Amino acid sequence: MNYVRQSCMIFGITMAGELLHVLLPLPIPSGVYGLFLLLAGLCTGAVKLSQVEETGNFLLDIMPLMFIPVTVGMMENYDALRAVAVPVAVICAVSTVMVMVTTGKVTEFLIGRRGGKRDE
């Protein structure tokens, strides 16, 4: 029953993101609105971590399974993708490295700003 309640809360926030996407004339995906709403709720205490943690962890655990249909679809359309396979592979590799470097630098900055102290 806990998973049902947490799922309803997560999907409700996602639906609020969908509503914001429809109402606001900004080129921002609805999922991003939902993520920011959840972040705001967690930061303000309106949403407690314990209210979404188990279902959130479950969704993270099964996330690789969500890529299987996309991968199969790409394999079925390989002939159409063959012409752009090399540029897409280069873009994926470069963007992955950029995200890793940026994440590392931001983490270093935040740890240095805190004086290297750990939260316990």
Side-chain angles (χ1 to χ4, degrees):
M1 193 64 174
N2 203 17
Y3 281 113
V4 173
R5 187 174 333 131
Q6 292 180 11
S7 294
C8 287
M9 181 170 281
I10 291 172
F11 293 138
I13 292 170
T14 302
M15 289 304 297
E18 291 283 343
L19 181 64
L20 282 176
H21 179 69
V22 170
L23 295 176
L24 298 177
L26 299 173
I28 298 173
S30 57
V32 174
Y33 284 125
L35 287 172
F36 278 118
L37 288 173
L38 181 59
L39 176 64
L42 288 168
C43 289
T44 61
V47 177
K48 304 280 188 261
L49 181 59
S50 62
Q51 293 175 314
V52 293
E53 186 173 22
E54 291 176 358
T55 300
N57 286 336
F58 172 73
L59 291 171
L60 284 173
D61 289 343
I62 67 165
M63 189 180 351
L65 294 175
M66 303 303 169
F67 290 101
I68 292 173
V70 174
T71 305
V72 170
M74 287 177 63
M75 291 173 70
E76 287 179 351
N77 296 313
Y78 179 72
D79 292 333
L81 295 174
R82 188 179 334 176
V84 294
V86 172
V88 168
V90 170
I91 290 169
C92 286
V94 170
S95 63
T96 299
V97 170
M98 288 175 60
V99 167
M100 290 170 61
V101 168
T102 303
T103 303
K105 292 297 181 186
V106 168
T107 303
E108 285 178 357
F109 171 76
L110 292 175
I111 289 173
R113 192 171 162 204
R114 225 178 34 198
K117 297 178 185 173
R118 294 181 120 180
D119 289 338
E120 297 191 25

